[in-house]
Amino acid sequence: FSAMREGFVVPLPLTPGFFQSLLGGRVDWATGLPQPGDGVVGEFVGACARMVTDVDRGSVGSLEEVAADPEWSRKYMQPPGEEPVAPAPFSVFADAASFLETGAGGAPLCHGGESRNVGVDNLREFVQLAADFWLDNGVRRQMVAFRRGVYDVLGQDASALWAFTAVELRRLLCGEDEVYWTEKELEEHISCGGGYTTTSDQIRWLREEMLEMQQPLRAKFLEFVTSCPRLPPGGLRELRLSVHPDPVVGARLPRSRACVHRLFLPRYVSREELASQLHEAILSSGGHHEHNLPP
């Protein structure tokens, strides 16, 4: 929260359920437990919770019928926006799961949990114990410590957090889930300096490359330029990205000054050269190329 107050995004894999608990609200286990695509280990637990919830709501058949569906994996284990997972019934996943924190590992959810297999007959008990661990008993001490830290940082201003919803708080602290930008946003919110203008070939080629990037590469690009793989609330407008020519004669790869969100882009002679060198810098960099750069 100190970072948030200073305008920084902290790309932690915190779920809306975490912030719902922080605000003292009840967390729905169907959405509060890890889900496929969340980036949090334990997605099988969340899939089981959604399965039980669907059955209880009457939107599907019995647990036995849903578990026998050969397309179960595609209904409950499919990460949004990713390649389709292989079709498989519930038993393919359950046979490898026990009464453990994530189903596959972690703390036992009950005495002897590591030796209890998960099945349709005990699925409700598994989900209830997992929800208690993930959303209540297992994180109670950590949540108390986190709240204490919030008050240590924000003091009396911490009460203002309760004006936000859990989803809004997550966006403020952790940034946007999706790295999204349009051609218009790129034209309006990338500033140029050092001799580059919005009509420079290199800037135009850069915008074209950024538009064609898929989500994983967009996140890597942001991490290379800003040290954070997510956009802040407000997107590119709030990111304040700037692009300058690299002052080093003969520079081959782009470099960045992450603390000010500045990309140093050599004067490439073609879009193909820019694309090749930019991708190499993004994908090969273990850090940022900030050596001997001007302010």
Side-chain angles (χ1 to χ4, degrees):
F1 282 90
S2 179
M4 184 178 71
R5 188 169 61 180
E6 298 298 327
F8 293 101
V9 168
V10 183
L12 295 173
L14 301 176
T15 65
F18 173 86
F19 290 99
Q20 187 69 25
S21 295
L22 175 67
L23 297 173
R26 178 183 175 276
V27 181
D28 181 0
W29 66 18
T31 57
L33 290 169
Q35 302 294 324
D38 280 351
V40 180
V41 176
E43 55 189 18
F44 174 71
V45 175
C48 291
R50 286 195 296 117
M51 175 181 172
V52 170
T53 300
D54 286 348
V55 170
D56 290 346
R57 289 174 178 169
S59 57
V60 295
S62 66
L63 284 177
E64 290 77 10
E65 291 171 336
V66 176
D69 185 350
E71 296 282 321
W72 184 88
S73 59
R74 292 187 169 176
K75 294 177 181 177
Y76 292 99
M77 295 294 291
Q78 176 64 52
E82 297 187 14
E83 291 293 322
V85 299
F90 170 74
S91 60
V92 169
F93 297 87
D95 288 348
S98 303
F99 274 60
L100 298 173
E101 176 183 344
T102 69
L109 300 176
C110 60
H111 180 69
E114 63 276 6
S115 59
R116 287 190 65 187
N117 295 328
V118 177
V120 174
D121 58 331
N122 58 18
L123 186 61
R124 292 182 185 277
E125 181 187 4
F126 171 70
V127 170
Q128 182 63 65
L129 290 173
D132 288 343
F133 180 88
W134 280 86
L135 307 175
D136 188 9
N137 299 330
V139 296
R140 189 172 297 163
R141 290 177 59 191
Q142 293 91 328
M143 187 59 66
V144 169
F146 192 89
R147 287 197 187 101
R148 185 178 298 121
V150 169
Y151 278 95
D152 286 346
V153 172
L154 300 181
Q156 295 302 314
D157 292 337
S159 60
L161 296 179
W162 273 256
F164 296 95
T165 66
V167 172
E168 290 169 338
L169 267 184
R170 183 175 182 272
R171 288 182 64 231
L172 285 171
L173 181 63
C174 302
E176 303 284 359
D177 285 330
E178 184 180 13
V179 182
Y180 176 81
W181 47 57
T182 65
E183 183 176 4
K184 185 173 184 293
E185 288 174 325
L186 292 172
E187 291 174 351
E188 292 180 350
H189 303 307
I190 293 180
S191 61
C192 307
Y196 278 156
T197 69
T198 57
T199 60
S200 297
D201 286 340
Q202 292 81 4
I203 301 301
R204 178 168 54 83
W205 295 332
L206 175 65
R207 292 196 301 260
E208 291 171 357
E209 285 300 316
M210 291 176 67
L211 274 176
E212 292 188 4
M213 289 177 180
Q214 299 300 309
Q215 283 294 313
L217 191 58
R218 289 186 179 193
K220 292 286 290 184
F221 172 82
L222 287 178
E223 188 168 24
F224 177 76
V225 179
T226 73
S227 289
C228 179
R230 293 183 176 181
L231 287 170
L236 273 178
R237 182 183 69 253
E238 299 301 323
L239 187 68
R240 297 182 176 87
L241 174 65
S242 65
V243 184
H244 289 228
D246 195 313
V248 177
V249 177
R252 188 174 67 89
L253 293 174
R255 300 187 290 172
S256 70
R257 184 174 290 282
C259 58
V260 292
H261 301 177
R262 180 169 296 169
L263 176 66
F264 288 88
L265 194 68
R267 294 183 181 274
Y268 298 118
V269 298
S270 69
R271 178 181 168 184
E272 291 73 22
E273 183 185 16
L274 181 147
S276 174
Q277 304 296 356
L278 179 63
H279 288 208
E280 181 178 346
I282 292 171
L283 298 176
S284 302
S285 175
H288 298 284
H289 305 275
E290 297 199 357
H291 304 294
N292 303 316
L293 287 177

PDB file of all heavy atoms in Angstrom, residues 207-234:
ATOM      1  N   ARG A 207       4.780   1.217 -32.732  1.00  0.00           N
ATOM      2  CA  ARG A 207       3.341   1.124 -32.476  1.00  0.00           C
ATOM      3  C   ARG A 207       2.736  -0.093 -33.181  1.00  0.00           C
ATOM      4  O   ARG A 207       1.901  -0.812 -32.603  1.00  0.00           O
ATOM      5  CB  ARG A 207       2.639   2.402 -32.926  1.00  0.00           C
ATOM      6  CG  ARG A 207       2.965   3.627 -32.098  1.00  0.00           C
ATOM      7  CD  ARG A 207       1.943   4.735 -32.342  1.00  0.00           C
ATOM      8  NE  ARG A 207       1.893   5.141 -33.744  1.00  0.00           N
ATOM      9  CZ  ARG A 207       2.490   6.218 -34.235  1.00  0.00           C
ATOM     10  NH1 ARG A 207       3.216   6.996 -33.428  1.00  0.00           N
ATOM     11  NH2 ARG A 207       2.384   6.530 -35.517  1.00  0.00           N
ATOM     12  N   GLU A 208       3.169  -0.331 -34.415  1.00  0.00           N
ATOM     13  CA  GLU A 208       2.651  -1.475 -35.161  1.00  0.00           C
ATOM     14  C   GLU A 208       3.020  -2.789 -34.478  1.00  0.00           C
ATOM     15  O   GLU A 208       2.207  -3.718 -34.392  1.00  0.00           O
ATOM     16  CB  GLU A 208       3.188  -1.443 -36.597  1.00  0.00           C
ATOM     17  CG  GLU A 208       2.623  -0.294 -37.429  1.00  0.00           C
ATOM     18  CD  GLU A 208       3.331  -0.141 -38.775  1.00  0.00           C
ATOM     19  OE1 GLU A 208       4.295  -0.900 -39.026  1.00  0.00           O
ATOM     20  OE2 GLU A 208       2.912   0.729 -39.579  1.00  0.00           O
ATOM     21  N   GLU A 209       4.272  -2.867 -33.986  1.00  0.00           N
ATOM     22  CA  GLU A 209       4.693  -4.073 -33.275  1.00  0.00           C
ATOM     23  C   GLU A 209       3.907  -4.267 -31.979  1.00  0.00           C
ATOM     24  O   GLU A 209       3.497  -5.384 -31.654  1.00  0.00           O
ATOM     25  CB  GLU A 209       6.193  -4.013 -32.968  1.00  0.00           C
ATOM     26  CG  GLU A 209       7.087  -4.270 -34.159  1.00  0.00           C
ATOM     27  CD  GLU A 209       6.864  -5.641 -34.767  1.00  0.00           C
ATOM     28  OE1 GLU A 209       6.753  -6.625 -34.006  1.00  0.00           O
ATOM     29  OE2 GLU A 209       6.770  -5.723 -36.000  1.00  0.00           O
ATOM     30  N   MET A 210       3.695  -3.201 -31.248  1.00  0.00           N
ATOM     31  CA  MET A 210       2.967  -3.297 -29.985  1.00  0.00           C
ATOM     32  C   MET A 210       1.530  -3.729 -30.204  1.00  0.00           C
ATOM     33  O   MET A 210       0.953  -4.453 -29.379  1.00  0.00           O
ATOM     34  CB  MET A 210       3.033  -1.959 -29.243  1.00  0.00           C
ATOM     35  CG  MET A 210       4.415  -1.615 -28.718  1.00  0.00           C
ATOM     36  SD  MET A 210       4.502   0.024 -27.936  1.00  0.00           S
ATOM     37  CE  MET A 210       3.473  -0.240 -26.477  1.00  0.00           C
ATOM     38  N   LEU A 211       0.932  -3.298 -31.298  1.00  0.00           N
ATOM     39  CA  LEU A 211      -0.438  -3.714 -31.611  1.00  0.00           C
ATOM     40  C   LEU A 211      -0.516  -5.202 -31.918  1.00  0.00           C
ATOM     41  O   LEU A 211      -1.492  -5.865 -31.565  1.00  0.00           O
ATOM     42  CB  LEU A 211      -0.975  -2.919 -32.800  1.00  0.00           C
ATOM     43  CG  LEU A 211      -1.612  -1.565 -32.510  1.00  0.00           C
ATOM     44  CD1 LEU A 211      -2.008  -0.884 -33.811  1.00  0.00           C
ATOM     45  CD2 LEU A 211      -2.836  -1.717 -31.603  1.00  0.00           C
ATOM     46  N   GLU A 212       0.507  -5.738 -32.572  1.00  0.00           N
ATOM     47  CA  GLU A 212       0.482  -7.138 -32.967  1.00  0.00           C
ATOM     48  C   GLU A 212       0.910  -8.092 -31.860  1.00  0.00           C
ATOM     49  O   GLU A 212       0.713  -9.302 -31.981  1.00  0.00           O
ATOM     50  CB  GLU A 212       1.383  -7.347 -34.194  1.00  0.00           C
ATOM     51  CG  GLU A 212       0.849  -6.671 -35.453  1.00  0.00           C
ATOM     52  CD  GLU A 212       1.644  -7.036 -36.692  1.00  0.00           C
ATOM     53  OE1 GLU A 212       2.571  -7.871 -36.574  1.00  0.00           O
ATOM     54  OE2 GLU A 212       1.343  -6.492 -37.771  1.00  0.00           O
ATOM     55  N   MET A 213       1.487  -7.576 -30.784  1.00  0.00           N
ATOM     56  CA  MET A 213       1.929  -8.434 -29.684  1.00  0.00           C
ATOM     57  C   MET A 213       0.747  -9.142 -29.026  1.00  0.00           C
ATOM     58  O   MET A 213      -0.303  -8.551 -28.798  1.00  0.00           O
ATOM     59  CB  MET A 213       2.655  -7.609 -28.609  1.00  0.00           C
ATOM     60  CG  MET A 213       4.005  -7.092 -29.013  1.00  0.00           C
ATOM     61  SD  MET A 213       4.714  -6.049 -27.673  1.00  0.00           S
ATOM     62  CE  MET A 213       6.268  -5.587 -28.405  1.00  0.00           C
ATOM     63  N   GLN A 214       0.938 -10.439 -28.723  1.00  0.00           N
ATOM     64  CA  GLN A 214      -0.039 -11.172 -27.933  1.00  0.00           C
ATOM     65  C   GLN A 214       0.150 -10.846 -26.454  1.00  0.00           C
ATOM     66  O   GLN A 214       1.158 -10.261 -26.046  1.00  0.00           O
ATOM     67  CB  GLN A 214       0.116 -12.677 -28.182  1.00  0.00           C
ATOM     68  CG  GLN A 214      -0.120 -13.088 -29.631  1.00  0.00           C
ATOM     69  CD  GLN A 214      -1.512 -12.747 -30.118  1.00  0.00           C
ATOM     70  OE1 GLN A 214      -2.503 -13.079 -29.472  1.00  0.00           O
ATOM     71  NE2 GLN A 214      -1.592 -12.066 -31.261  1.00  0.00           N
ATOM     72  N   GLN A 215      -0.811 -11.249 -25.625  1.00  0.00           N
ATOM     73  CA  GLN A 215      -0.791 -10.893 -24.211  1.00  0.00           C
ATOM     74  C   GLN A 215       0.530 -11.217 -23.498  1.00  0.00           C
ATOM     75  O   GLN A 215       1.081 -10.349 -22.820  1.00  0.00           O
ATOM     76  CB  GLN A 215      -1.955 -11.571 -23.484  1.00  0.00           C
ATOM     77  CG  GLN A 215      -3.300 -10.926 -23.711  1.00  0.00           C
ATOM     78  CD  GLN A 215      -3.358  -9.532 -23.104  1.00  0.00           C
ATOM     79  OE1 GLN A 215      -2.971  -9.321 -21.973  1.00  0.00           O
ATOM     80  NE2 GLN A 215      -3.844  -8.570 -23.873  1.00  0.00           N
ATOM     81  N   PRO A 216       1.066 -12.434 -23.628  1.00  0.00           N
ATOM     82  CA  PRO A 216       2.320 -12.720 -22.904  1.00  0.00           C
ATOM     83  C   PRO A 216       3.463 -11.796 -23.306  1.00  0.00           C
ATOM     84  O   PRO A 216       4.249 -11.362 -22.454  1.00  0.00           O
ATOM     85  CB  PRO A 216       2.609 -14.177 -23.278  1.00  0.00           C
ATOM     86  CG  PRO A 216       1.286 -14.753 -23.657  1.00  0.00           C
ATOM     87  CD  PRO A 216       0.552 -13.632 -24.323  1.00  0.00           C
ATOM     88  N   LEU A 217       3.558 -11.477 -24.602  1.00  0.00           N
ATOM     89  CA  LEU A 217       4.648 -10.614 -25.060  1.00  0.00           C
ATOM     90  C   LEU A 217       4.420  -9.170 -24.631  1.00  0.00           C
ATOM     91  O   LEU A 217       5.375  -8.443 -24.322  1.00  0.00           O
ATOM     92  CB  LEU A 217       4.795 -10.699 -26.579  1.00  0.00           C
ATOM     93  CG  LEU A 217       6.061 -10.050 -27.165  1.00  0.00           C
ATOM     94  CD1 LEU A 217       7.316 -10.679 -26.559  1.00  0.00           C
ATOM     95  CD2 LEU A 217       6.083 -10.178 -28.681  1.00  0.00           C
ATOM     96  N   ARG A 218       3.170  -8.735 -24.590  1.00  0.00           N
ATOM     97  CA  ARG A 218       2.880  -7.382 -24.098  1.00  0.00           C
ATOM     98  C   ARG A 218       3.321  -7.252 -22.640  1.00  0.00           C
ATOM     99  O   ARG A 218       3.889  -6.226 -22.245  1.00  0.00           O
ATOM    100  CB  ARG A 218       1.384  -7.083 -24.223  1.00  0.00           C
ATOM    101  CG  ARG A 218       0.914  -6.903 -25.650  1.00  0.00           C
ATOM    102  CD  ARG A 218      -0.543  -6.461 -25.725  1.00  0.00           C
ATOM    103  NE  ARG A 218      -0.967  -6.268 -27.099  1.00  0.00           N
ATOM    104  CZ  ARG A 218      -2.091  -5.666 -27.463  1.00  0.00           C
ATOM    105  NH1 ARG A 218      -2.926  -5.217 -26.530  1.00  0.00           N
ATOM    106  NH2 ARG A 218      -2.407  -5.525 -28.735  1.00  0.00           N
ATOM    107  N   ALA A 219       3.059  -8.286 -21.852  1.00  0.00           N
ATOM    108  CA  ALA A 219       3.483  -8.253 -20.452  1.00  0.00           C
ATOM    109  C   ALA A 219       5.006  -8.205 -20.339  1.00  0.00           C
ATOM    110  O   ALA A 219       5.561  -7.475 -19.503  1.00  0.00           O
ATOM    111  CB  ALA A 219       2.931  -9.467 -19.707  1.00  0.00           C
ATOM    112  N   LYS A 220       5.700  -8.974 -21.189  1.00  0.00           N
ATOM    113  CA  LYS A 220       7.161  -8.959 -21.177  1.00  0.00           C
ATOM    114  C   LYS A 220       7.697  -7.595 -21.607  1.00  0.00           C
ATOM    115  O   LYS A 220       8.697  -7.116 -21.065  1.00  0.00           O
ATOM    116  CB  LYS A 220       7.702 -10.054 -22.102  1.00  0.00           C
ATOM    117  CG  LYS A 220       7.449 -11.464 -21.622  1.00  0.00           C
ATOM    118  CD  LYS A 220       8.340 -11.856 -20.468  1.00  0.00           C
ATOM    119  CE  LYS A 220       9.764 -12.031 -20.885  1.00  0.00           C
ATOM    120  NZ  LYS A 220      10.626 -12.505 -19.767  1.00  0.00           N
ATOM    121  N   PHE A 221       7.046  -6.977 -22.582  1.00  0.00           N
ATOM    122  CA  PHE A 221       7.457  -5.648 -23.021  1.00  0.00           C
ATOM    123  C   PHE A 221       7.337  -4.649 -21.869  1.00  0.00           C
ATOM    124  O   PHE A 221       8.258  -3.859 -21.614  1.00  0.00           O
ATOM    125  CB  PHE A 221       6.585  -5.199 -24.201  1.00  0.00           C
ATOM    126  CG  PHE A 221       6.808  -3.769 -24.614  1.00  0.00           C
ATOM    127  CD1 PHE A 221       7.868  -3.427 -25.446  1.00  0.00           C
ATOM    128  CD2 PHE A 221       5.970  -2.758 -24.166  1.00  0.00           C
ATOM    129  CE1 PHE A 221       8.082  -2.099 -25.824  1.00  0.00           C
ATOM    130  CE2 PHE A 221       6.168  -1.427 -24.537  1.00  0.00           C
ATOM    131  CZ  PHE A 221       7.234  -1.111 -25.366  1.00  0.00           C
ATOM    132  N   LEU A 222       6.212  -4.677 -21.175  1.00  0.00           N
ATOM    133  CA  LEU A 222       6.029  -3.765 -20.051  1.00  0.00           C
ATOM    134  C   LEU A 222       7.061  -4.022 -18.959  1.00  0.00           C
ATOM    135  O   LEU A 222       7.595  -3.078 -18.360  1.00  0.00           O
ATOM    136  CB  LEU A 222       4.621  -3.919 -19.477  1.00  0.00           C
ATOM    137  CG  LEU A 222       3.470  -3.349 -20.309  1.00  0.00           C
ATOM    138  CD1 LEU A 222       2.140  -3.622 -19.614  1.00  0.00           C
ATOM    139  CD2 LEU A 222       3.653  -1.852 -20.533  1.00  0.00           C
ATOM    140  N   GLU A 223       7.353  -5.291 -18.710  1.00  0.00           N
ATOM    141  CA  GLU A 223       8.337  -5.612 -17.680  1.00  0.00           C
ATOM    142  C   GLU A 223       9.720  -5.100 -18.076  1.00  0.00           C
ATOM    143  O   GLU A 223      10.489  -4.625 -17.234  1.00  0.00           O
ATOM    144  CB  GLU A 223       8.377  -7.121 -17.449  1.00  0.00           C
ATOM    145  CG  GLU A 223       9.219  -7.533 -16.262  1.00  0.00           C
ATOM    146  CD  GLU A 223       8.999  -8.975 -15.883  1.00  0.00           C
ATOM    147  OE1 GLU A 223       8.584  -9.769 -16.746  1.00  0.00           O
ATOM    148  OE2 GLU A 223       9.254  -9.309 -14.718  1.00  0.00           O
ATOM    149  N   PHE A 224      10.040  -5.181 -19.360  1.00  0.00           N
ATOM    150  CA  PHE A 224      11.330  -4.701 -19.841  1.00  0.00           C
ATOM    151  C   PHE A 224      11.457  -3.185 -19.683  1.00  0.00           C
ATOM    152  O   PHE A 224      12.499  -2.672 -19.280  1.00  0.00           O
ATOM    153  CB  PHE A 224      11.494  -5.086 -21.315  1.00  0.00           C
ATOM    154  CG  PHE A 224      12.763  -4.580 -21.942  1.00  0.00           C
ATOM    155  CD1 PHE A 224      13.976  -5.184 -21.678  1.00  0.00           C
ATOM    156  CD2 PHE A 224      12.743  -3.493 -22.806  1.00  0.00           C
ATOM    157  CE1 PHE A 224      15.154  -4.721 -22.246  1.00  0.00           C
ATOM    158  CE2 PHE A 224      13.909  -3.013 -23.385  1.00  0.00           C
ATOM    159  CZ  PHE A 224      15.120  -3.629 -23.105  1.00  0.00           C
ATOM    160  N   VAL A 225      10.377  -2.468 -19.984  1.00  0.00           N
ATOM    161  CA  VAL A 225      10.437  -1.007 -19.993  1.00  0.00           C
ATOM    162  C   VAL A 225      10.158  -0.403 -18.618  1.00  0.00           C
ATOM    163  O   VAL A 225      10.709   0.652 -18.283  1.00  0.00           O
ATOM    164  CB  VAL A 225       9.443  -0.435 -21.031  1.00  0.00           C
ATOM    165  CG1 VAL A 225       9.478   1.088 -21.044  1.00  0.00           C
ATOM    166  CG2 VAL A 225       9.777  -0.962 -22.421  1.00  0.00           C
ATOM    167  N   THR A 226       9.326  -1.063 -17.803  1.00  0.00           N
ATOM    168  CA  THR A 226       8.880  -0.450 -16.545  1.00  0.00           C
ATOM    169  C   THR A 226       9.162  -1.276 -15.298  1.00  0.00           C
ATOM    170  O   THR A 226       8.894  -0.813 -14.193  1.00  0.00           O
ATOM    171  CB  THR A 226       7.363  -0.177 -16.594  1.00  0.00           C
ATOM    172  OG1 THR A 226       6.652  -1.422 -16.493  1.00  0.00           O
ATOM    173  CG2 THR A 226       6.962   0.529 -17.884  1.00  0.00           C
ATOM    174  N   SER A 227       9.650  -2.502 -15.458  1.00  0.00           N
ATOM    175  CA  SER A 227       9.856  -3.444 -14.351  1.00  0.00           C
ATOM    176  C   SER A 227       8.562  -4.024 -13.812  1.00  0.00           C
ATOM    177  O   SER A 227       8.570  -4.714 -12.794  1.00  0.00           O
ATOM    178  CB  SER A 227      10.634  -2.804 -13.180  1.00  0.00           C
ATOM    179  OG  SER A 227      11.971  -2.603 -13.530  1.00  0.00           O
ATOM    180  N   CYS A 228       7.437  -3.782 -14.462  1.00  0.00           N
ATOM    181  CA  CYS A 228       6.151  -4.309 -14.016  1.00  0.00           C
ATOM    182  C   CYS A 228       5.397  -4.842 -15.231  1.00  0.00           C
ATOM    183  O   CYS A 228       5.235  -4.122 -16.220  1.00  0.00           O
ATOM    184  CB  CYS A 228       5.331  -3.225 -13.322  1.00  0.00           C
ATOM    185  SG  CYS A 228       3.695  -3.817 -12.765  1.00  0.00           S
ATOM    186  N   PRO A 229       4.928  -6.097 -15.200  1.00  0.00           N
ATOM    187  CA  PRO A 229       4.267  -6.679 -16.372  1.00  0.00           C
ATOM    188  C   PRO A 229       2.804  -6.285 -16.534  1.00  0.00           C
ATOM    189  O   PRO A 229       2.116  -6.833 -17.389  1.00  0.00           O
ATOM    190  CB  PRO A 229       4.394  -8.186 -16.117  1.00  0.00           C
ATOM    191  CG  PRO A 229       4.371  -8.303 -14.624  1.00  0.00           C
ATOM    192  CD  PRO A 229       5.103  -7.083 -14.115  1.00  0.00           C
ATOM    193  N   ARG A 230       2.324  -5.355 -15.718  1.00  0.00           N
ATOM    194  CA  ARG A 230       0.921  -4.945 -15.804  1.00  0.00           C
ATOM    195  C   ARG A 230       0.799  -3.439 -15.998  1.00  0.00           C
ATOM    196  O   ARG A 230       1.659  -2.676 -15.558  1.00  0.00           O
ATOM    197  CB  ARG A 230       0.163  -5.341 -14.536  1.00  0.00           C
ATOM    198  CG  ARG A 230       0.009  -6.848 -14.354  1.00  0.00           C
ATOM    199  CD  ARG A 230      -0.814  -7.160 -13.129  1.00  0.00           C
ATOM    200  NE  ARG A 230      -1.041  -8.581 -12.984  1.00  0.00           N
ATOM    201  CZ  ARG A 230      -1.751  -9.126 -12.009  1.00  0.00           C
ATOM    202  NH1 ARG A 230      -2.311  -8.347 -11.085  1.00  0.00           N
ATOM    203  NH2 ARG A 230      -1.933 -10.434 -11.934  1.00  0.00           N
ATOM    204  N   LEU A 231      -0.292  -3.059 -16.641  1.00  0.00           N
ATOM    205  CA  LEU A 231      -0.606  -1.646 -16.764  1.00  0.00           C
ATOM    206  C   LEU A 231      -1.225  -1.145 -15.468  1.00  0.00           C
ATOM    207  O   LEU A 231      -1.956  -1.885 -14.796  1.00  0.00           O
ATOM    208  CB  LEU A 231      -1.604  -1.425 -17.907  1.00  0.00           C
ATOM    209  CG  LEU A 231      -1.073  -1.557 -19.338  1.00  0.00           C
ATOM    210  CD1 LEU A 231      -2.240  -1.545 -20.318  1.00  0.00           C
ATOM    211  CD2 LEU A 231      -0.091  -0.431 -19.658  1.00  0.00           C
ATOM    212  N   PRO A 232      -0.988   0.100 -15.112  1.00  0.00           N
ATOM    213  CA  PRO A 232      -1.664   0.667 -13.945  1.00  0.00           C
ATOM    214  C   PRO A 232      -3.128   0.945 -14.272  1.00  0.00           C
ATOM    215  O   PRO A 232      -3.506   0.973 -15.460  1.00  0.00           O
ATOM    216  CB  PRO A 232      -0.895   1.969 -13.703  1.00  0.00           C
ATOM    217  CG  PRO A 232      -0.419   2.363 -15.064  1.00  0.00           C
ATOM    218  CD  PRO A 232      -0.102   1.072 -15.771  1.00  0.00           C
ATOM    219  N   PRO A 233      -3.969   1.159 -13.269  1.00  0.00           N
ATOM    220  CA  PRO A 233      -5.339   1.600 -13.558  1.00  0.00           C
ATOM    221  C   PRO A 233      -5.302   2.858 -14.415  1.00  0.00           C
ATOM    222  O   PRO A 233      -4.558   3.790 -14.131  1.00  0.00           O
ATOM    223  CB  PRO A 233      -5.901   1.888 -12.161  1.00  0.00           C
ATOM    224  CG  PRO A 233      -5.117   1.022 -11.245  1.00  0.00           C
ATOM    225  CD  PRO A 233      -3.726   0.986 -11.832  1.00  0.00           C
ATOM    226  N   GLY A 234      -6.077   2.860 -15.485  1.00  0.00           N
ATOM    227  CA  GLY A 234      -6.026   3.976 -16.413  1.00  0.00           C
ATOM    228  C   GLY A 234      -5.234   3.663 -17.664  1.00  0.00           C
ATOM    229  O   GLY A 234      -5.240   4.426 -18.619  1.00  0.00           O
TER     230      GLY A 234
END
